[in-house]
Amino acid sequence: MIVRSFKDIEGTERHVKSASGTWESKRIVLARERVGFSLHETVLYAGTETSMWYANHIEAVLCVEGEAELTNDETGEKHVITPGTMYLLDGHERHTLRPKTDFRVVCVFNPPVTGREDHDENGVYPLLTEPAEPSGN
């Protein structure tokens, strides 16, 4: 059993700040836990714009605080995301978030992320893996 809080993660290697400066993420469950998914709390900052494309992952996002406009960059469709709203990127959609306020979400990724990922020039997380554990462990 693992018990861990977001507060426990502050300032550790699991507390990732993007190179773009538009978001930070506390990664509470990672690939190294070997449970088939990762779980994060992410804050996107008010007044920023972040374009993403999870070509290698499926992501479910649940808004718990704030408000943002979500644009499906493939169709142009826009959605206002507020607390209690979930969106699922089940088709690897290219998308852009424009937070009107600081926007706090809880995210689940499959396959799980390692914690070392950041968006590349296309908004993609690379597909990183954890080394296999030695046999007998």
Side-chain angles (χ1 to χ4, degrees), residues 26-38:
K26 295 175 187 161
R27 297 168 175 187
I28 199 161
V29 176
L30 290 170
R32 71 183 79 157
E33 277 79 55
R34 303 196 184 281
V35 295
F37 64 91
S38 58

Side-chain angles (χ1 to χ4, degrees), residues 49-74:
E49 181 175 300
T50 304
S51 294
M52 296 167 272
W53 174 35
Y54 295 117
N56 302 308
H57 301 84
I58 301 295
E59 182 190 28
V61 180
L62 176 63
C63 175
V64 294
E65 184 179 328
E67 181 178 332
E69 178 185 80
L70 169 67
T71 302
N72 180 332
D73 294 336
E74 297 172 12

